[in-house]
Every structure is written in structure tokens, then in C-alpha cells.
């Protein structure tokens, strides 16, 4: 009886944490930012990143988004700019090779789900609101988001580079994730008999 | 004073184009040689931005000047050997061609490098091509070579004008100098 009770508890816990995890289809997903240099927008694509997506609208408590971005892979379609972007004035890729994103809470708003997340770039962490659009598809789901950041919050291009006529402070991050069908949740281990 | 050129002297519009463009070229060329060695930083970008803005200004002036020139007469050349007249004509054609080709090659270089192009923080201009490292190197080479040719041609053009003024004592130089200096 006691064993059965424990098993039931485990099962309940397992169910509660059942926001399914969706594998990210890397080739159909993109992580990029749109910045403005001398009045002209350019896009930087972060080619190398991992993301982990667990989401169930009815179980936001156990939903979460995580991403690790390797900033050496930034491609702005200009080798000179890519090289400049990696220097100490900007991302300082040698000292801070990765940026991370991790949700701390998830909430539903009238316009859709919002993740409150810690974004860490160049060693500086900022709590940001990350509203996203979730769409179930035949094969899985898509997640789309567009969030504006201030580059100075992360020490990107301070000092002389703070001049907005050269590089605007506002940078938009654009996320498009294509997700495969969730991996079947591992069946709760049968309690030891 | 009429704006147009006469049979004996260049008009004030042509003179303004001539000397105005000379002043801009005299400023932009040394900046062009100087800026490439600047350390990467906002200062470098600003100097480049200025170089590009002045270059675009020169391109616009080249368009206007050519249009103006096509619609007006040229003063007659003072008496000189036929080969000199031909050489002067060829140099003038070449200078017109370079007035277009130099800024356009810079624009191409900038486009192939994937950099923005803005005229004095006011207007952004489109790229002529997408980012292309091979084209970028070629366009840079072209831009620099055209400037080298330009400096040689300008040098000959100026030397010829001075020779006419100080050796031949004719009105060639005075017909272009600012002010009223027309031909008697």
C-alpha cells in the first residue's frame, strides 16, 4: 500500500512536470538581431545556438525556454563588421564566448504567453520580458518572438561607441524556432516492488 | 553677369563647379589615404562616413556639371598647336569620366564590403551589390587606381594651365579663375 502510494505520488509529480519538450529543428530555426548602423538596418544571424523548449499552455509552471548562443558564429554579412563585433568594445567574444537565455517564470497575458527570462550577454544579466507566439503545427510547433533590447544594458559598444548616430542603442532580437513533435515523456519508472 | 559661358570665357556656374569640386577633391583624397590606417573605432567610422558623404556630393556635382556642360557652349581655345588642343580635350573627357568613376567605384567597394552608405546623416543610399569579398577587393583596387590616374591627369591639367598662363601668356587660366577674369 505504502509502495503504491509512493508510486502514485511519483506519477503525480511526473504528470505535473509534463510540459513536453520539443526538439528544435536547427535548419529551420533562426536566431538573429536587427541593429542600425549609420541609419541602415542590418541583420546579424547567430548561427550556432542550442535551445531547449518545454511548453504547455496549461502548465506554465513547468514550461521553460533555454538557449545558449555561441557568439563567434555571428554573421552580419560583412566580414569587417563581424570581426569588429567580436572585439572587446562589443561582444568581447574571447572573454565571453556565449550568451545565455533562461526563463525564470512563464505567464499568460491577453496577447499570449510571456516568458520572464534572464538574458546574459558579456557577463551581464538582465531580466527581460519575452513575449512569444506559439503555434501548434502538424509536425510539432513554431515559436516566434521579437524583442527590443538596449545594447548599452549589456555593455555592448559603450564609451565612444555609445554615439547613436553610428550605432543605434535599440536592437531587435528575432527568434524563429521550428519544433518537432515532443519527445514522448519517459514513462514514470515503476516503483520498486 | 550671365551665368553661362561665352565665346571667350567660362561662365560663373562652370567656374563654381570647377573650383568647388577641386576643393572637395583636395579634401577627400588625403582623407581617403589617411583613414584606412586608423585603428578600428567610432572615430574611424566617422571619418569614413565623412569621406563617403563628400564622395556622394562629388558624384552629384558631377551629374549636375555634366548636364550643365552639355547645355552650354565652350569658350574657344586660344591659339595652340593641334596636339595640345587634342590633349587638353582628352584630359577634360578623362576628368569627367573619373568624376563619375571614382565615387561610383567607392560606392561599389562600400556595397561589396556590406557597409551602410549615408549622406551626412540625412539620407541612406542603397547598396549597388550584396556583400562579396572578391568584388570588394577588386573594387577597392579600382577605386585606388582611379584616384592615382586622377592625380596624374589633374597634375598635367594644372601644369598645362600654368604653362599657358606664365609661358604663353594667354587667357586659358584666366578664363576659368574665379572672379571676373574673362578674355579681353
Amino acid at each position: 500500500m505504502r509502495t503504491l502510494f509512493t508510486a502514485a505520488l511519483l506519477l503525480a509529480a511526473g504528470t505535473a512536470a509534463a510540459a513536453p519538450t520539443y526538439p528544435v529543428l536547427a535548419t529551420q530555426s533562426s536566431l538573429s538581431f536587427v541593429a542600425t548602423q549609420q541609419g541602415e538596418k542590418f541583420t546579424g544571424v547567430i548561427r550556432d545556438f542550442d535551445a531547449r523548449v518545454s511548453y504547455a499552455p496549461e502548465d506554465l509552471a513547468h514550461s521553460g525556454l533555454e538557449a545558449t548562443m555561441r557568439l563567434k558564429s555571428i554573421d552580419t554579412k560583412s566580414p569587417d563588421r563581424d570581426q569588429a563585433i567580436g572585439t572587446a568594445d562589443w561582444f568581447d567574444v574571447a572573454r565571453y564566448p556565449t550568451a545565455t537565455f533562461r526563463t525564470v517564470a512563464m505567464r499568460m497575458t491577453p496577447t499570449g504567453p510571456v516568458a520572464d527570462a534572464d538574458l546574459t550577454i558579456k557577463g551581464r544579466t538582465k531580466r527581460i520580458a519575452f513575449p512569444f507566439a506559439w503555434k501548434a503545427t502538424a509536425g510539432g510547433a513554431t515559436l516566434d518572438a521579437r524583442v527590443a533590447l538596449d545594447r548599452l544594458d549589456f555593455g555592448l559598444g559603450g564609451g565612444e561607441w555609445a554615439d547613436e548616430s553610428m550605432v543605434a542603442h535599440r536592437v531587435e532580437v528575432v527568434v524563429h524556432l521550428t519544433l518537432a513533435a515532443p519527445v514522448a515523456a519517459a514513462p514514470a519508472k515503476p516503483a520498486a516492488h | 553677369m550671365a551665368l553661362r559661358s561665352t565665346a571667350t570665357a567660362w561662365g560663373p556656374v562652370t567656374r563654381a563647379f570647377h573650383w568647388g569640386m577641386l576643393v572637395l577633391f583636395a579634401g577627400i583624397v588625403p582623407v581617403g589615404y589617411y583613414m584606412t590606417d586608423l585603428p578600428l573605432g567610432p572615430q574611424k567610422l566617422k571619418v569614413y562616413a565623412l569621406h563617403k558623404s563628400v564622395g556622394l556630393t562629388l558624384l552629384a556635382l558631377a551629374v549636375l556639371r555634366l548636364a550643365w556642360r552639355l547645355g552650354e557652349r565652350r569658350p574657344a581655345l586660344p591659339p595652340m598647336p593641334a596636339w595640345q588642343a587634342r590633349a587638353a580635350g582628352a584630359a577634360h573627357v578623362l576628368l569627367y569620366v573619373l568624376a563619375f568613376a571614382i565615387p561610383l567605384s567607392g560606392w561599389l567597394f562600400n556595397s561589396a564590403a556590406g557597409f551602410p552608405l549615408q549622406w551626412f546623416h540625412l539620407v541612406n543610399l542603397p547598396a549597388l551589390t550584396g556583400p562579396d569579398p572578391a568584388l570588394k577587393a577588386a573594387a577597392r583596387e579600382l577605386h585606388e587606381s582611379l584616384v592615382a590616374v586622377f592625380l596624374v591627369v589633374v597634375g598635367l591639367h594644372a601644369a598645362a594651365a600654368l604653362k599657358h598662363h606664365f609661358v604663353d601668356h594667354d587667357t586659358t587660366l584666366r578664363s576659368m579663375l574665379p572672379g571676373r577674369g574673362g578674355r579681353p
Side-chain angles (χ1 to χ4, degrees):
Chain A
M1 188 67 198
R2 187 187 207 124
T3 328
L4 198 61
F5 184 61
T6 313
L9 264 185
L10 280 172
L11 200 62
T15 315
T21 297
Y22 292 76
V24 177
L25 300 176
T27 55
Q28 297 167 54
S29 299
S30 66
L31 201 54
S32 56
F33 59 86
V34 180
T36 308
Q37 183 192 351
Q38 288 164 280
E40 197 167 301
K41 286 191 156 73
F42 70 92
T43 300
V45 179
I46 303 170
R47 300 217 175 274
D48 187 5
F49 69 94
D50 298 318
R52 193 187 138 82
V53 179
S54 302
Y55 184 70
E58 68 284 355
D59 186 12
L60 294 177
H62 294 98
S63 299
L65 310 173
E66 273 177 36
T68 302
M69 297 145 265
R70 280 167 288 278
L71 301 178
K72 218 180 129 186
S73 70
I74 292 176
D75 178 6
T76 69
K77 290 271 164 60
S78 164
D80 299 282
R81 188 163 49 209
D82 292 347
Q83 193 256 323
I85 255 176
T87 60
D89 284 337
W90 295 94
F91 285 100
D92 200 359
V93 174
R95 278 184 71 191
Y96 306 101
T98 60
T100 57
F101 173 94
R102 186 156 297 141
T103 50
V104 290
M106 193 89 83
R107 56 199 157 91
M108 190 57 77
T109 72
T111 52
V114 175
D116 294 306
D118 282 341
L119 177 61
T120 305
I121 305 173
K122 209 178 179 180
R124 304 187 192 199
T125 301
K126 189 174 187 266
R127 181 73 47 90
I128 63 165
F130 183 84
F132 59 95
W134 180 271
K135 205 175 285 174
T137 61
T142 57
L143 185 159
D144 283 278
R146 195 173 262 272
V147 178
L149 302 173
D150 184 331
R151 63 180 174 86
L152 295 184
D153 286 341
F154 301 94
L156 301 174
E160 287 190 302
W161 280 114
D163 181 356
E164 283 223 81
S165 73
M166 284 294 123
V167 185
H169 293 173
R170 183 189 156 96
V171 177
E172 236 180 7
V173 175
V174 183
V175 181
H176 172 71
L177 298 179
T178 304
L179 308 163
V183 189
K189 274 187 187 160
H193 291 293
Chain B
M1 190 150 103
L3 294 176
R4 291 175 171 278
S5 302
T6 66
T8 55
W10 295 103
V13 173
T14 298
R15 295 185 198 204
F17 274 129
H18 180 275
W19 296 105
M21 288 174 80
L22 175 69
V23 166
L24 291 181
F25 266 115
I28 196 175
V29 173
V31 167
Y33 283 112
Y34 158 79
M35 68 188 189
T36 53
D37 292 330
L38 286 175
L40 180 68
Q43 205 53 42
K44 180 172 192 166
L45 257 65
K46 279 179 186 162
V47 175
Y48 269 76
L50 181 66
H51 179 86
K52 295 180 210 175
S53 295
V54 174
L56 287 168
T57 306
L58 279 163
L59 180 59
L61 288 173
V63 172
L64 295 173
R65 184 173 178 183
L66 181 63
W68 180 260
R69 166 71 179 261
L70 292 175
E72 86 162 358
R73 68 187 303 173
R74 302 175 51 198
L77 289 172
M80 64 176 75
W83 73 268
Q84 284 185 15
R86 276 202 302 276
H92 296 159
V93 169
L94 198 49
L95 288 171
Y96 268 90
V97 170
L98 289 168
F100 283 88
I102 292 172
L104 284 172
S105 63
W107 191 341
L108 185 66
F109 170 35
N110 189 70
S111 303
F115 281 126
L117 184 59
Q118 197 179 39
W119 187 71
F120 293 111
H121 298 310
L122 295 172
V123 191
N124 280 84
L125 289 135
L128 299 177
T129 171
D132 181 335
L135 182 61
K136 177 194 160 193
R140 177 181 181 155
E141 196 73 31
L142 180 66
H143 190 57
E144 290 176 355
S145 305
L146 290 174
V147 170
V149 173
F150 175 76
L151 292 176
V152 170
V153 179
V154 166
L156 291 172
H157 173 77
L162 293 173
K163 188 256 182 193
H164 279 284
H165 189 72
F166 291 110
V167 178
D168 301 331
H169 302 290
D170 66 23
T171 55
T172 305
L173 180 60
R174 265 179 288 148
S175 70
M176 186 55 101
L177 280 178
R180 291 156 152 274
R183 284 172 188 165

